[in-house]
Amino acid sequence: MTLKVGIPRALLYYYYLPLWRTFFEALGLEVVISRPTTKTILDAGLQNSGDDVCLPVRLAFGHVLDLKDRVDVLFLPRLVSIARREYICPKFLGFPDMVRHGISGLPPLIDPNLNLYRKDSPYPFFVALGRNFTSNRLAIYLAYRRAMHAQVRYVQLLERGLFPEQALALLYQGVAEGQESGGGGPTVAVIGHPYNIYDPYISMNLLSRLARSGVRVCSADNLPETLIREQAARLPKHLFWSLGQRMIGAAWHYLQSPDVDGIIHVASFACGPDSLTGELISREVRRRGKPFLNLTLDEHSAEAGVVTRLEAFLDMMERRQFLPVRESV
């Protein structure tokens, strides 16, 4: 009987699913991903997590509960650092412990440390991960190589302009899903963490709404990592949060791009790093004068409020395109 490994559709799922999934499948395991976010999943996460954690972590609790009775083991990596001299949010680091002490009746948790703060290669992490399932070091090495190849292919698809679900469909089903496109309409850069902007329930279908309004959407994930880091390096001090650095670097690039007509920044309620990076982005946008919308998502976000603000933002963009620029007074 094939062992089933559960992966929550939350947190860094949109960054690393090909890496995790290919590694497990190469070792002969069956990967089970939690179902897309619904009100039931969100409510379950809210009821089983603390009030002092951010919305993405609370939602991740709901996805763990969705997998709880459907898998043999749960994969919840302890993410400390994914790049040299940088860290991931401490709530991500403590997520396996929060789950272990917050939810009873769980299957065994597999939570190896991923810490690249002083390392360049994630291979030791995969060796530790693979040893949970096999003692064959060659099999672990070959699975690692296949996983890295899949991840590189995934990133290439994102940089070609696909969004994660489209790239995943192409990787695993060989199907190029029709990309919702704004045709000849304006281009808007949506700056936000993948677990916010690509989750249709949490973002209240933000990307689809923009596409239906004739807007072409781009995001940080469509940019090469080297370009993002070059832009983020313009800050007077190195930002040691990897995910915040991605937001800053992408925003800086799109603000300078003449092909991008407006910026939407999406943040999570109770996210400390988002409150800092959002303010930095907001100040730079005001200095450059591009249309800007700052959306903060929480579990109480009302769809009508988001739609109203989005319509106002698009109206503003339309006026900027067709009305002469006013002289400052």
Side-chain angles (χ1 to χ4, degrees):
M1 183 176 176
T2 305
L3 196 72
K4 294 181 179 179
V5 180
I7 300 179
R9 193 186 296 261
L11 301 181
L12 299 193
Y13 163 87
Y14 293 104
Y15 280 114
Y16 294 127
L17 179 66
L19 192 63
W20 311 140
R21 176 174 170 174
T22 304
F23 182 76
F24 289 132
E25 290 182 344
L27 291 180
L29 308 174
E30 180 182 344
V31 172
V32 179
I33 298 166
S34 58
R35 287 168 278 225
T37 302
T38 61
K39 187 176 187 305
T40 302
I41 288 177
L42 177 59
D43 286 347
L46 297 176
Q47 291 165 11
N48 287 273
S49 58
D51 294 333
D52 57 342
V53 294
C54 60
L55 177 64
V57 171
R58 303 189 79 181
L59 177 62
F61 267 78
H63 281 279
V64 168
L65 287 162
D66 182 66
L67 290 166
K68 174 172 163 284
D69 299 320
R70 299 194 291 131
V71 299
D72 300 306
V73 295
L74 271 169
F75 175 57
L76 301 180
R78 188 182 306 279
L79 302 167
V80 181
S81 169
I82 57 173
R84 285 184 67 85
R85 301 185 63 78
E86 293 175 10
Y87 285 111
I88 289 287
C89 170
K91 290 173 183 171
F92 284 31
L93 189 157
F95 183 63
D97 295 321
M98 287 190 275
V99 168
R100 184 175 283 113
H101 296 289
I103 302 176
S104 60
L106 287 171
L109 300 189
I110 306 296
D111 61 344
N113 286 358
L114 177 59
N115 187 352
L116 301 183
Y117 189 85
R118 292 187 175 85
K119 299 176 183 175
D120 291 319
S121 172
Y123 182 57
F125 165 83
F126 282 95
V127 171
L129 176 60
R131 281 176 177 165
N132 288 283
F133 309 103
T134 179
S135 58
N136 186 332
R137 292 183 64 89
L138 177 60
I140 293 173
Y141 175 73
L142 294 176
Y144 165 74
R145 292 288 302 269
R146 287 181 61 179
M148 294 298 288
H149 178 76
Q151 185 68 19
V152 168
R153 175 67 178 144
Y154 176 63
V155 171
Q156 288 172 342
L157 291 173
L158 295 180
E159 291 176 3
R160 278 172 41 190
L162 297 185
F163 289 144
E165 292 296 356
Q166 297 162 338
L168 293 172
L170 198 56
L171 274 179
Y172 292 108
Q173 300 164 26
V175 177
E177 292 183 354
Q179 184 172 5
E180 295 178 275
S181 169
T187 298
V188 169
V190 177
I191 306 298
H193 300 299
Y195 45 79
N196 285 329
I197 65 176
Y198 300 128
D199 186 318
Y201 185 85
I202 289 299
S203 72
M204 284 168 276
N205 291 307
L206 174 64
L207 301 187
S208 295
R209 290 180 192 281
L210 287 168
R212 289 199 299 271
S213 298
V215 174
R216 178 182 171 274
V217 179
C218 52
S219 73
D221 304 293
N222 300 137
L223 299 175
E225 181 73 13
T226 51
L227 176 60
I228 287 176
R229 289 188 173 277
E230 284 174 10
Q231 292 295 323
R234 293 172 49 215
L235 286 173
K237 184 178 179 182
H238 179 68
L239 192 62
F240 55 81
W241 289 312
S242 293
L243 304 187
Q245 192 169 162
R246 285 186 61 79
M247 301 302 102
I248 292 286
W252 266 219
H253 169 77
Y254 285 131
L255 277 170
Q256 299 172 79
S257 172
D259 298 327
V260 173
D261 303 292
I263 305 277
I264 297 178
H265 176 248
V266 181
S268 302
F269 179 72
C271 175
D274 272 1
S275 64
L276 170 66
T277 55
E279 179 60 23
L280 291 173
I281 291 170
S282 176
R283 290 183 185 187
E284 187 69 10
V285 170
R286 283 198 297 269
R287 194 172 72 83
R288 294 178 178 270
K290 278 198 176 183
F292 179 65
L293 172 63
N294 190 29
L295 285 177
T296 301
L297 305 175
D298 65 22
E299 59 268 34
H300 307 298
S301 293
E303 187 172 357
V306 170
V307 171
T308 300
R309 297 188 66 194
L310 197 55
E311 287 177 347
F313 171 73
L314 295 177
D315 287 346
M316 177 172 62
M317 287 186 55
E318 188 177 20
R319 291 182 62 190
R320 287 286 185 94
Q321 284 190 314
F322 294 105
L323 293 179
V325 177
R326 295 180 181 177
E327 295 291 336
S328 59
V329 294

